[in-house]
Amino acid sequence: MNSQKPIGVFDSGVGGLSVLREIHQLLPHENLVYVADSEHAPYGDKSQEFILSRSTAIFEFFMRQSVKAIVVACNTATAAAVKELRTRYDLPLVALEPAIKPASEQTQTGVIGVLATSRTIQSNNFQILFNRFAHQVKIIAQACPGLVDQVEQGDLDSRKTRQLLWQYLAPLVEQQVDIIVLGCTHYPFLAPIIRELTGNHIKVIDSGPAIARRLAHLLEMQDLHAKTQHPGSVVFYSSAKAQKTHKVISALWGSPVSLECMTEDSQLLTARA
Ligand code: DGL
């Protein structure tokens, strides 16, 4: 039965785990397959062609796993590839975009900040989103080179991570934002430090919970939700063989996981940065 099939969730690396944990919490009976494309992270400074090519390789992997739905747990891959992927694959697909809409509705100061990768901020999708709300609030888009690498290394609270974060947060605080949108799925893992550095008067928005609710709604609508009361399985794959990825995934997931190597269709192994 289709409803028993797993759901595929992927990111350039470990960031999508921040979305996966929300999905697992909201939908504990669903079987989940997570792919971290850690061998190719970060996507944020790669070309659109490269990101589309990697996303296609991962979609094909999910097809071989007979998934019933896919969550693109990566703002950068959404901006670079989802339009094209929707035309190629006919299954429920949930994608991410920075949560500017809810932030615009909730701001009191009328100034919101968005932290995202350079690729996301330069994308057409982001420009369209920005233009939709820019007449109603001031939106400060801050690219954050280097932050994804810190999270990929499991380095959430070092001096270097704090320095980088403050470099990106200081201009937002100066311009009196009262909401910071985390426009990259790696950043929720830095939220405790972001809150510490900016203070409690600034609200931090993570898209993960909304994505999990959107997925739940889509599955219900299409009668694809798991009909069992058994706990669902969570299987982790990575394109990187490094022991380090395994350690970081276990640390971010909060318990030791076993990590499989993602196999790829050799005809698709042509992606180049
Ligand atoms: N987690 C990805 C995102 O949401 C990170 C992108 C990257 O690899 O640079 O944008």
Side-chain angles (χ1 to χ4, degrees):
M1 248 175 57
N2 276 350
S3 62
Q4 285 165 342
K5 291 178 176 174
I7 297 162
V9 181
F10 86 95
D11 179 45
S12 63
V14 298
L17 294 169
S18 69
V19 179
L20 190 74
R21 70 183 173 189
E22 301 296 339
I23 295 173
H24 188 51
Q25 199 175 321
L26 187 68
L27 304 169
H29 308 300
E30 296 291 349
N31 296 321
L32 305 173
V33 180
Y34 184 79
V35 170
D37 195 13
S38 298
E39 186 69 16
H40 305 95
Y43 281 176
D45 52 10
K46 306 281 193 322
S47 70
Q48 182 171 2
E49 296 69 41
F50 180 81
I51 298 168
L52 177 58
S53 161
R54 289 306 310 154
S55 303
T56 304
I58 296 165
F59 265 60
E60 287 301 318
F61 174 75
F62 283 147
M63 292 302 130
R64 294 197 292 279
Q65 306 266 324
S66 298
V67 299
K68 63 183 177 185
I70 294 178
V71 178
V72 181
C74 178
N75 293 265
T76 310
T78 298
V82 159
K83 199 168 167 209
E84 178 63 28
L85 292 166
R86 281 193 197 279
T87 66
R88 293 189 199 165
Y89 296 90
D90 183 22
L91 81 174
L93 204 168
V94 179
L96 268 164
E97 64 179 13
I100 291 179
K101 183 174 187 281
S104 302
E105 288 160 1
Q106 292 169 34
T107 178
Q108 302 291 317
T109 60
V111 190
I112 65 169
V114 183
L115 302 178
T117 65
S118 309
R119 170 67 49 200
T120 296
I121 290 177
Q122 287 158 11
S123 68
N124 277 343
N125 285 29
F126 187 82
Q127 201 52 53
I128 293 168
L129 190 62
F130 185 96
N131 291 343
R132 252 175 74 202
F133 295 96
H135 63 279
Q136 123 192 20
V137 288
K138 181 172 173 189
I139 305 167
I140 305 164
Q142 176 67 58
C144 306
L147 271 192
V148 166
D149 304 84
Q150 295 305 103
V151 178
E152 281 299 307
Q153 286 158 31
D155 187 356
L156 305 184
D157 191 11
S158 68
R159 200 183 149 100
K160 184 175 173 199
T161 303
R162 282 173 177 262
Q163 272 173 352
L164 263 182
L165 268 175
W166 186 241
Q167 181 186 328
Y168 301 136
L169 291 169
L172 307 187
V173 174
E174 256 163 46
Q175 294 184 72
Q176 303 194 323
V177 303
D178 64 347
I179 300 188
I180 294 178
V181 173
L182 303 181
C184 168
T185 53
H186 281 73
Y187 304 164
F189 292 113
L190 300 169
I193 309 297
I194 294 175
R195 287 199 185 92
E196 193 189 310
L197 293 173
T198 56
N200 284 338
H201 59 292
I202 297 183
K203 184 173 176 183
V204 176
I205 298 189
D206 160 14
S207 309
I211 293 302
R213 289 195 298 273
R214 166 101 190 111
L215 173 66
H217 178 71
L218 265 185
L219 295 177
E220 284 281 340
M221 297 285 291
Q222 304 200 20
D223 198 27
L224 283 174
H225 56 290
K227 314 256 182 331
T228 164
Q229 288 310 310
H230 299 297
S233 61
V234 189
V235 186
F236 298 85
Y237 289 87
S238 173
S239 55
K241 292 181 192 76
Q243 183 73 11
K244 183 129 198 245
T245 309
H246 184 200
K247 272 200 187 146
V248 174
I249 290 183
S250 295
L252 296 180
W253 187 246
S255 59
V257 303
S258 77
L259 186 64
E260 315 275 330
C261 192
M262 176 196 156
T263 53
E264 298 199 30
D265 183 337
S266 54
Q267 294 194 328
L268 288 165
L269 282 175
T270 49
R272 292 281 177 274

